[in-house]
Amino acid sequence: MKNLNLVRMADSKFCARCQRGGEDITDVAWCSDCRELVYELNINRLRKSMDHKKNNFGNLLLEFCKNNNMFILNGRMCEDKGLGSFTCKNTSVVDYNIASPNFLKLVQNFSVLNSSVLFSDIHNPLSLKITCYEKQNDVSHDDEMPEEKIKRWENEQLDTFISNIDRLKVNEILAQLTEMVENTSENSIINKVVEDVCHLLTNAAKSTFGTFTKRRKHTQNIKKSKPWFDSECKEARKKFRSSRRKLKRNHTDDRVNETKKLEKSYKRVMDKSILWDFSSF
């Protein structure tokens, strides 16, 4: 299996600013697979970026990519191709998605989303959509089939149990045991005698105590609301989502401001509820 590697960097302490360009994938420093991908996937040879500054951490990041044959997705492909949108405070690019050549083939879309106080006060969320291949395994599910079980033993039914034992089958088993003692028997014959004894006693128990069918219960993992997510949080979320849907249908400045206001209000309500929940312990 080929190695698939993805690195997601979102660290305000590292703050690697790489400027535009910085690494030419067609350069001989990159492996032949990387250079071929430029043409195969229609990737920008030079990376674009709205951030025109570079620092020492940025140089280290670019050196890391070259040494490990990895790509910075920002400003190079999909919706962010030729843009290199800002990812922090609308002034710098410090959050990256970095992928190996094999992983790059799975990328369907990459984009930098609008800032949201629900995720971060200063960083923009990065959206990455990839193709996943489902592998079918031929696995038997016998354990999911209904299983016949014998009811519990009852001492009062002892005589009935004894009378339900098949005498003809007992005589057959005794004859087999006698033959085994007189002659050297193979393991297969011994195993058959053991199976016959088990079936003999099991059938007698079924006739005496009866049976029932045990079905496997399929439980679904239902996500439960967090204890702190109360009705006030749900109401704030409802208002925010409603405003966001209206914004998609009618994008106006007033609607944008209202959605941002409700988003901040939603986050304040959740923060307050979380603090109250922890203080109760």
Side-chain angles (χ1 to χ4, degrees), residues 164-175:
N164 284 331
I165 295 176
D166 190 342
R167 300 301 172 185
L168 293 177
K169 195 65 179 177
V170 171
N171 293 332
E172 290 180 9
I173 294 173
L174 289 175

Side-chain angles (χ1 to χ4, degrees), residues 128-191:
L128 181 67
K129 184 179 180 181
I130 63 174
T131 301
C132 295
Y133 298 98
E134 182 179 2
K135 183 178 180 181
Q136 297 290 343
N137 294 322
D138 296 329
V139 180
S140 61
H141 298 281
D142 295 337
D143 56 335
E144 297 182 3
M145 299 295 292
E147 184 180 0
E148 187 181 37
K149 294 280 189 179
I150 301 174
K151 293 182 180 180
R152 290 185 177 182
W153 174 274
E154 297 179 6
N155 291 330
E156 296 81 3
Q157 300 281 353
L158 176 60
D159 293 337
T160 306
F161 173 73
I162 295 174
S163 63
N164 284 331
I165 295 176
D166 190 342
R167 300 301 172 185
L168 293 177
K169 195 65 179 177
V170 171
N171 293 332
E172 290 180 9
I173 294 173
L174 289 175
Q176 289 177 336
L177 291 173
T178 303
E179 184 180 354
M180 287 171 52
V181 173
E182 295 176 352
N183 305 310
T184 303
S185 301
E186 297 179 359
N187 289 335
S188 59
I189 299 177
I190 298 174
N191 293 337

Side-chain angles (χ1 to χ4, degrees), residues 9-18 55-62 64 94 96:
M9 292 185 55
D11 190 355
S12 57
K13 295 181 180 179
F14 189 57
C15 284
R17 303 179 69 174
C18 299
N55 57 19
N56 187 47
F57 287 127
N59 290 326
L60 292 174
L61 177 59
L62 295 177
F64 168 83
V94 294
Y96 305 93

Side-chain angles (χ1 to χ4, degrees), residues 66 72 94 166 168 210 220 223:
K66 290 180 181 179
I72 295 177
V94 294
D166 190 342
L168 293 177
Q220 296 181 348
K223 290 185 177 180

Side-chain angles (χ1 to χ4, degrees), residues 215-231:
R215 296 184 179 274
R216 183 183 178 90
K217 293 183 179 180
H218 297 276
T219 57
Q220 296 181 348
N221 293 325
I222 302 175
K223 290 185 177 180
K224 297 183 179 180
S225 298
K226 296 179 175 60
W228 53 265
F229 200 84
D230 54 17
S231 58

